[in-house]
Amino acid sequence: MTAPLTPPQQPPNDPAWPPPPPQQGPAGDPITGAEVVQGLVVTAASAIAGAVLGALWVWLAPTVQLISDGKGVYLRNSEGEAAIGADGTFVLLALAFGAVAGLVVFLARRKGGVPLVLGLAVGGVLGSLLAWWLGTTLGPTADVVAHAKAVGPGVVFDAPLKLQMGAAAMLAWPLAATIVHLVLTGIFGPRDPEPGPWEPYGR
């Protein structure tokens, strides 16, 4: 004969058994007023930094040289690439400023958040616009005809600083800032807690 099967050990007669599943919170943390203020600070700081970018652009960008014969204004070197170099200088500087901005914001606020990312993007656009305006203002005058008359025929002078790429150059800063910040947050940012026994994965 075989021994009767013994029933498995039953849990104690406790009304709290089994423990209730934890209460699920909202899908995401709400955006606080402090985070909005931080995003506005990032926007303002990025926009102000655009003045530095504009000054560096005027200083580092290659100049396009013009010359007048008294009747018209011509390029001194028609095969020069200075105009493309001015755009390239602006884009490279904007990428550097955006990367630094994303790094600084991440180091100051590792938790991240939507307001900070928006601040980096909007501030990058505003900073680029200020840099473009300041660079064209501080550079040679845009009135080429008046400048040619002022220097006289046969005298070489600098053309006004321009951006041939236009809107594309304006996006270099915000793209670099947001990409660097999101990558750093994804790699080094705080991790979400592991789901508990009652919390399904992929929620």
Side-chain angles (χ1 to χ4, degrees), residues 99-164:
V100 171
L103 174 62
V104 170
V105 171
F106 170 75
L107 293 177
R109 180 71 174 174
R110 290 179 178 269
K111 185 179 178 181
V114 174
L116 291 179
V117 176
L118 290 178
L120 285 171
V122 176
V125 173
L126 295 178
S128 298
L129 290 173
L130 177 60
W132 168 75
W133 174 82
L134 189 62
T136 55
T137 301
L138 295 179
T141 177
D143 193 343
V144 176
V145 176
H147 197 177
K149 291 180 179 179
V151 300
V155 178
V156 177
F157 61 96
D158 294 335
L161 199 58
K162 293 182 179 180
L163 271 180
Q164 307 296 333

Side-chain angles (χ1 to χ4, degrees), residues 11-92:
N13 188 14
D14 189 349
W17 182 272
Q23 296 293 327
Q24 299 293 332
D29 295 333
I31 297 176
T32 63
E35 291 177 333
V36 174
V37 172
Q38 292 170 359
L40 293 176
V41 170
V42 171
T43 302
S46 299
I48 294 173
V52 181
L53 173 58
L56 289 174
W57 184 40
V58 174
W59 181 36
L60 298 176
T63 57
V64 178
Q65 293 186 330
L66 304 176
I67 191 170
S68 172
D69 60 358
K71 297 180 180 179
V73 180
Y74 310 95
L75 288 171
R76 186 188 182 189
N77 184 5
S78 60
E79 297 181 357
E81 299 179 353
I84 300 177
D87 282 44
T89 302
F90 185 94
V91 171
L92 290 176

